Amino acid sequence: MEVEKITCDVLCVGGGIAGLMAAIEAADNGAKVVVAEKAYTERSGAGGMGNDHFHCYIPEVHGDYSEFAKDLYYGQMAGKISEIGKEAADFWFQNTFDIIKLWDKWGIPMKYEGRYEFAGHSFKGQILNHLKYSGENQKPVLTKQARERGVTIINRVMIYDLIKDENGVVGALGISTREDKLYEFDAKAVILATGLGTRMYPSATLHDFNRPFPATNTCDGRAMAYRAGADLMNIELTSRHAGPKYYNRAGQATWIGVLRNRQGKPVGPFMTEPDRYYSDMTTEVNKSIFADYIKQGKGPIYMDGRGMSNDDLAYVNHWLLQEGNGGLLNHLEEEGIDLRKHPVEFMTFDMCCWSGIPYNKNGETSVEGLYAAGDESMGGISCAAVFGRSAGKNASVYAGRRTASKSNALEKSTSMAKTEIEELRKRKEGPKWQETSQALQQIMRDYAESVRCEDGLQAGLVNLYRLKTKAHERLVAENSHELMHCLEVFNLIDIGQLIFTGALDRKETRGANHIRPDYPITNPILTGKAHLARKNYDGSPMFVWK
């Protein structure tokens, strides 16, 4: 297998919003920057197909920040904002307006009809804090900005492991997804920006790539960071999304309407008629309500837009397109579905890994030389942009004062990786990645979904260990593309084990997706604390509260 060696100051792992903003800022600070993206930066990641809302604070619109900040703890992302703490939250929102001005200057329209337009993701009476913007082509714009600064973008390369020496992270290993080639990256600083984690649990529609977030986001950053010795935070606390039945896409707050049952009665207390500025927050309060209604024999729930005006329809269609829902709009037109007349059934989507690598406002993790940004821990487009930019700036400063590693860690890691990869590729018989992925998802669904107990978690963990052993011993990759999927599954299994062990260690009920009937009380002492997973000296996980 061919080995290509690449040297840089800053390596950005992932070319989504966070990775590209990190690359742009690091290059602006004089660093030699490489972005390694396993897909294609112009359309990869959670923001690849677009977005229509930017969680932000604009002084001229919102006025006093202290009053604005109070409302952050009651709307979308309230739990995540509480989790990261006031210092990080203030840094996030107080830097969003700078991003807005930059993006507008670069060619991402941040105004609607000449004004800053706010709508969605807020309860009535709250300060609206989601800016409506035209993000359909945000990724091509950011890719162009990175290239204009001399950033080297390598698409179709999956980074799958970090390289460390006694001083911290000194590089990473990757594989081409199109040819038999191993990449050795010699980097003074590495920024992880691989997004949240999908494909851990079965898709709600049983079609593995029909998910609200990209199926290419497979916990790669989390798994690499953990193996390198970094802390992971609240990894057992998974999350769900919701939206149109069988069409698993983000954009729930873009819809104008009221959630009603089949008899036309609102299922939540927040809305009685459609309002283009305030979405029905029932979904934000409980994304599992659609699945719960079916399980309880109450029937389906519909997003009912009856009563909206013609202007409202044009408004929602515009923003659905910007959110990346062009396929849905085409389907509605083909089927003659008029949102002013026809309610659309909604459903609860699959669980995903939302929590992950804790990082501070500088993007620093618990490992020297390793940075992280965006959905590696927090979430949302504006979060990715702000913390990606911050991580890029601070990583470039760190790289500027760090000397090149003189250890043999790069050479040793590359040699070991080459042997392991070649073993996967030369096997002639054995299971494929699809079988292993399905087995993983079945174990996660059966033993570690929303309702969890000691016996079930212990049993599932045994099954997962058996699956991991067999996968590493027998999995077959007939080509480079299959090799990528094998490595994704290995990463998912590693994080799956931490979900089990973390759920066992968290002896309480917390939220809608960690229900312990054997520990039914939510422990108020643990509210606001981080449940950190760390790799023990023998490789086993240990957990501490901080």
Side-chain angles (χ1 to χ4, degrees):
M1 175 176 280
E2 178 187 353
V3 178
E4 182 173 340
K5 299 183 179 182
I6 297 174
T7 301
C8 60
D9 296 323
V10 176
L11 172 64
C12 298
V13 182
I17 300 295
L20 288 174
M21 287 301 294
I24 290 168
E25 186 66 19
D28 279 345
N29 279 272
K32 180 181 179 183
V33 185
V34 172
V35 173
E37 164 60 53
K38 70 177 174 180
Y40 186 67
T41 62
E42 291 196 8
R43 288 297 173 192
S44 62
M49 297 307 292
N51 191 52
D52 76 327
H53 56 281
F54 194 90
H55 209 176
C56 65
Y57 165 69
I58 298 180
E60 66 187 70
V61 175
H62 295 115
D64 180 58
Y65 177 76
S66 61
E67 290 300 315
F68 169 88
K70 292 177 184 177
D71 265 3
L72 293 176
Y73 297 90
Y74 296 97
Q76 192 208 31
M77 303 287 294
K80 183 63 68 173
I81 290 167
S82 298
E83 179 183 283
I84 67 175
K86 185 177 186 302
E87 182 182 11
D90 288 346
F91 179 83
W92 171 0
F93 286 96
Q94 288 175 348
N95 281 277
T96 49
F97 192 39
D98 287 341
I99 301 293
I100 289 167
K101 289 181 288 186
L102 270 181
W103 281 17
D104 201 56
K105 177 182 175 182
W106 291 345
I108 302 172
M110 303 302 289
K111 290 184 177 181
Y112 176 70
E113 296 183 348
R115 67 181 183 276
Y116 291 123
E117 174 86 343
F118 285 83
H121 288 301
S122 295
F123 296 98
K124 279 197 170 184
Q126 276 192 298
I127 298 172
L128 290 166
N129 52 36
H130 281 77
L131 176 69
K132 305 297 283 186
Y133 79 107
S134 299
E136 184 182 15
N137 290 309
Q138 59 191 359
K139 289 299 303 299
V141 170
L142 295 180
T143 298
K144 180 175 180 288
Q145 289 295 320
R147 285 187 168 135
E148 286 179 352
R149 288 162 171 79
V151 173
T152 299
I153 296 177
I154 308 176
N155 289 307
R156 314 298 183 191
V157 169
M158 177 187 177
I159 304 295
Y160 71 94
D161 223 354
L162 300 171
I163 303 173
K164 277 183 68 182
D165 66 9
E166 64 277 8
N167 297 315
V169 171
V170 295
L173 295 169
I175 54 114
S176 168
T177 67
R178 293 295 183 268
E179 55 184 328
D180 282 328
K181 181 188 286 189
L182 182 67
Y183 285 87
E184 176 192 289
F185 292 91
D186 182 345
K188 296 177 181 177
V190 175
I191 301 173
L192 296 176
T194 65
L196 47 73
T198 62
R199 292 202 355 242
M200 181 70 72
Y201 291 82
S203 165
T205 64
L206 304 183
H207 188 292
D208 207 23
F209 283 71
N210 181 19
R211 298 179 183 269
F213 301 105
T216 52
N217 291 3
T218 49
C219 293
D220 301 334
R222 290 161 173 77
M224 287 188 282
Y226 177 76
R227 291 194 295 263
D231 291 344
L232 299 186
M233 179 175 68
N234 299 335
I235 197 67
E236 70 280 0
L237 298 183
T238 51
S239 179
R240 292 183 185 272
H241 211 62
K245 190 156 190 175
Y246 304 139
Y247 189 86
N248 293 17
R249 285 287 298 155
Q252 64 185 37
T254 305
W255 292 73
I256 297 175
V258 180
L259 290 171
R260 303 181 188 273
N261 63 18
R262 196 166 177 81
Q263 284 71 46
K265 182 181 178 181
V267 299
F270 307 112
M271 303 285 289
T272 57
E273 59 184 16
D275 188 320
R276 72 160 65 180
Y277 295 110
Y278 291 93
S279 51
D280 193 330
M281 291 292 284
T282 304
T283 313
E284 304 282 4
V285 172
N286 181 14
K287 295 184 192 297
S288 297
I289 189 171
F290 311 99
D292 292 343
Y293 258 55
I294 297 298
K295 291 177 183 178
Q296 295 165 8
K298 296 181 180 179
I301 296 174
Y302 300 84
M303 176 59 75
D304 186 359
R306 289 176 296 184
M308 77 165 85
S309 67
N310 293 341
D311 287 344
D312 286 339
L313 180 63
Y315 188 85
V316 72
N317 285 345
H318 171 77
W319 295 120
L320 282 172
L321 179 63
Q322 298 306 317
E323 180 74 13
N325 285 303
L328 174 63
L329 292 173
N330 290 339
H331 175 72
L332 294 177
E333 183 178 1
E334 289 171 1
E335 297 298 318
I337 298 172
D338 186 338
L339 299 182
R340 295 166 299 182
K341 302 175 182 178
H342 306 123
V344 174
E345 186 175 351
F346 267 35
M347 72 181 297
T348 301
F349 298 155
D350 51 287
M351 291 210 293
C352 62
C353 301
W354 194 259
S355 296
I357 310 168
Y359 55 84
N360 61 21
K361 66 181 183 180
N362 298 323
E364 297 162 330
T365 71
S366 58
V367 171
E368 186 81 6
L370 182 63
Y371 295 75
D375 289 347
E376 292 289 10
S377 180
M378 300 185 197
I381 296 291
S382 70
C383 168
V386 168
F387 286 102
R389 190 182 187 204
S390 178
K393 177 182 178 179
N394 290 287
S396 65
V397 172
Y398 176 85
R401 65 173 184 264
R402 189 179 192 184
T403 58
S405 174
K406 296 181 180 179
S407 72
N408 65 347
L410 288 164
E411 182 180 345
K412 183 179 179 181
S413 295
T414 300
S415 176
M416 292 174 59
K418 189 170 183 288
T419 301
E420 294 169 356
I421 294 299
E422 288 176 342
E423 175 65 25
L424 269 171
R425 289 284 287 110
K426 75 180 183 181
R427 290 176 190 153
K428 300 301 181 184
E429 294 182 353
K432 293 293 190 74
W433 69 270
Q434 293 96 327
E435 298 170 65
T436 309
S437 179
Q438 289 168 4
L440 166 66
Q441 291 172 9
Q442 288 175 319
I443 292 170
M444 299 304 297
R445 177 196 63 195
D446 292 344
Y447 299 98
E449 206 172 36
S450 297
V451 180
R452 302 161 172 177
C453 68
E454 189 90 10
D455 287 346
L457 291 167
Q458 293 283 10
L461 192 56
V462 170
N463 290 336
L464 194 54
Y465 273 119
R466 291 177 60 221
L467 177 66
K468 180 176 181 176
T469 300
K470 289 186 176 183
H472 279 276
E473 290 177 349
R474 300 177 56 192
L475 214 56
V476 173
E478 292 187 1
N479 54 54
S480 299
H481 192 70
E482 289 188 0
L483 176 61
M484 173 192 72
H485 286 307
C486 289
L487 297 175
E488 289 176 336
V489 171
F490 291 159
N491 286 335
L492 286 166
I493 290 175
D494 284 351
I495 298 303
Q497 289 178 313
L498 293 177
I499 291 174
F500 272 103
T501 51
L504 280 164
D505 193 71
R506 184 183 282 272
K507 300 184 186 303
E508 65 158 352
T509 289
R510 176 70 55 175
N513 295 318
H514 179 74
I515 300 170
R516 291 286 303 263
D518 45 353
Y519 296 97
I521 302 300
T522 297
N523 188 343
I525 296 174
L526 301 179
T527 299
K529 289 190 175 182
H531 194 212
L532 300 179
R534 291 174 178 169
K535 190 169 72 171
N536 220 331
Y537 67 93
D538 62 355
S540 63
M542 62 178 288
F543 291 86
V544 297
W545 290 95
K546 185 177 180 181

